[in-house]
Amino acid sequence: MRFGNLQVKDYYFVGVQLLLFLIYFIPVDLFRLNIPDWLRMIGLIPGILGIGLAFFTLFQLRNMLSVFPTPVDSGKLITKGAFSLSRHPIYTSIVLSASSFGIFSESVFRLIITVLLFILFYFKSKYEERLLLLKYPEYAEYSRHTPRFL
């Protein structure tokens, strides 16, 4: 079933993603970790790098940004900058930041949600890549040389 140029699957992926984002920020104190302060501080480094990667990617995408996996009609294939590091730098940055904050907050609950986000992004990216291959035949070559995530 289609709504405009979007499939029901697009809405499903974005809906589950939004739900996981909301659940991530629920203050649940189950299964707290006991991490030394110095390690918690070091654990912030991937999160800071993830936020930087997100801003760099957002700058690169500008008006081609969409929360949906279906490529925008006016889009073009970007393989430079953040996209030379990862085929899905936004997903990568979210997982880096979420895991980093989960460690910093000593929350097993947040780390579990981060794993669920990673699994969701894996399947969302597989779906997205099928659509990108249809729109951009050169995506096949690009995907052979660039990792899905960092």
Side-chain angles (χ1 to χ4, degrees):
M1 179 178 238
R2 294 182 69 84
F3 297 101
N5 69 334
L6 299 176
Q7 300 280 340
V8 169
K9 216 173 198 179
D10 288 78
Y11 292 98
Y12 166 76
F13 280 120
V14 171
V16 172
Q17 183 177 326
L18 180 61
L19 181 64
L20 287 173
F21 285 164
L22 292 172
I23 292 170
Y24 183 89
F25 289 104
I26 294 172
V28 175
D29 283 339
L30 295 175
F31 313 114
R32 305 286 304 168
L33 297 171
N34 189 12
I35 301 173
D37 286 343
W38 65 271
L39 192 54
R40 288 177 59 227
M41 294 302 140
I42 290 173
L44 287 176
I45 293 171
I48 293 166
L49 294 173
I51 291 168
L53 179 63
F55 279 116
F56 183 53
T57 306
L58 292 173
F59 176 76
Q60 269 192 283
L61 287 172
R62 293 185 193 119
N63 61 342
M64 294 185 292
L65 182 65
S66 172
V67 296
F68 297 104
T70 296
V72 296
D73 291 336
S74 62
K76 63 178 185 163
L77 181 63
I78 301 173
T79 60
K80 304 289 186 221
F83 292 89
S84 68
L85 302 172
S86 165
R87 297 191 311 263
H88 301 279
I90 294 281
Y91 302 160
T92 299
S93 66
I94 291 170
V95 170
L96 282 173
S97 300
S99 60
S100 181
F101 186 67
I103 290 168
F104 180 77
S105 63
E106 300 179 317
S107 173
V108 172
F109 177 76
R110 285 191 174 118
L111 292 173
I112 291 169
I113 299 301
T114 301
V115 169
L116 294 175
L117 275 168
F118 179 78
I119 293 167
L120 174 72
F121 288 150
Y122 175 79
F123 288 105
K124 185 179 177 186
S125 67
K126 282 184 66 101
Y127 169 66
E128 184 174 351
E129 289 187 349
R130 284 196 306 271
L131 300 174
L132 287 166
L133 277 168
L134 292 173
K135 185 168 183 171
Y136 309 108
E138 63 272 26
Y139 191 84
E141 181 64 23
Y142 164 68
S143 67
R144 280 193 277 278
H145 302 291
T146 309
R148 182 183 305 262
F149 306 113
L150 284 179

